[in-house]
Amino acid sequence: MNEHRDQRQTFSQSKQEKRNGVLSYLHTLCCSSHGVFSLHLSHSGVAQETLASIYSQTQNQEIYESILESYPGTTSADLPALSLISINLTMKQGSSNLDTLTKFVDNSTEPTLKESFRNCVNLYSSIMESLKVAYQLSEVGEYLKISQLGESMILVYKCENGLLVDSPTGGFTADMIITCETSAMYIIGVVH
């Protein structure tokens, strides 16, 4: 729980710094020309060395581990299955965020804020469609065609950047970014 709170606190940085940081991170993840991950699959799932290699590329190793360990079947899953599990978790987080934003639209009385939340609802609707495509591509093993996770992270930031600085969305924005990153890590792990 403290790990999630610590992650949420990182959202006190300026929105531009956050956006620049994620774009740089995505570029590093998606455009790296060297293979960082090795595939050492075992019959009982992914070898610990492989998971450690994937997690070591992140800034929040404990959070990534806890996200996946909370989902049934991860201990026996191979990397392709972990990519599906992580995208599914990202879709669940996105759906939860979309529901919360819809409630904010319904309950907001200030017109400018209401419009900002409405824009976020539209962005999250697009995110959900993109994540469905990512899941379908992962299902058929078309990992190199998956760009939707990075695109989704950009839309998450676009939503957050369109809101007031003290918006109540920072916590679940952090959770969405973390789940998108987790999914991206497993997709990259399968490719390399």
Side-chain angles (χ1 to χ4, degrees):
M1 197 59 130
N2 287 336
E3 294 155 354
H4 287 287
R5 187 177 324 117
D6 291 342
Q7 180 64 26
R8 289 181 182 130
Q9 289 174 353
T10 64
F11 278 80
S12 64
Q13 300 170 343
S14 78
K15 289 184 179 185
Q16 188 62 38
E17 286 174 341
K18 292 185 286 183
R19 185 169 170 253
N20 290 343
V22 78
L23 292 176
S24 172
Y25 182 68
L26 286 173
H27 184 266
T28 301
L29 284 177
C30 299
C31 302
S32 175
S33 61
H34 61 281
V36 195
F37 309 109
S38 57
L39 290 174
H40 301 292
L41 301 179
S42 66
H43 294 294
S44 62
V46 179
Q48 283 303 112
E49 306 86 55
T50 303
L51 290 176
S53 176
I54 291 171
Y55 294 144
S56 71
Q57 302 303 310
T58 70
Q59 296 176 0
N60 303 298
Q61 181 173 348
E62 296 81 20
I63 294 173
Y64 290 103
E65 288 178 279
S66 68
I67 288 170
L68 283 176
E69 288 174 2
S70 69
Y71 195 85
T74 57
T75 56
S76 61
D78 59 10
L79 280 174
L82 285 174
S83 75
L84 290 170
I85 291 168
S86 64
I87 293 171
N88 188 45
L89 289 170
T90 305
M91 291 170 68
K92 285 183 178 185
Q93 182 66 51
S95 179
S96 173
N97 291 7
L98 181 58
D99 290 345
T100 300
L101 287 164
T102 300
K103 289 174 185 170
F104 286 164
V105 169
D106 294 343
N107 296 320
S108 181
T109 57
E110 201 278 309
T112 304
L113 187 58
K114 187 176 196 92
E115 185 60 28
S116 295
F117 285 135
R118 188 174 288 118
N119 288 337
C120 284
V121 166
N122 291 334
L123 290 168
Y124 266 87
S125 294
S126 296
I127 290 168
M128 295 307 297
E129 290 303 314
S130 291
L131 292 174
K132 288 177 190 174
V133 171
Y135 190 89
Q136 291 165 348
L137 289 170
S138 187
E139 277 184 311
V140 296
E142 294 288 341
Y143 306 107
L144 292 175
K145 293 183 180 179
I146 298 175
S147 62
Q148 294 78 9
L149 297 166
E151 293 163 5
S152 294
M153 288 174 67
I154 291 168
L155 293 177
V156 170
Y157 276 107
K158 188 173 181 179
C159 165
E160 188 67 20
N161 289 339
L163 296 171
L164 300 173
V165 174
D166 60 350
S167 170
T169 60
F172 69 72
T173 296
D175 292 343
M176 187 67 185
I177 295 297
I178 291 167
T179 56
C180 282
E181 287 177 345
T182 302
S183 295
M185 296 306 295
Y186 285 106
I187 298 300
I188 292 169
V190 172
V191 171
H192 293 287

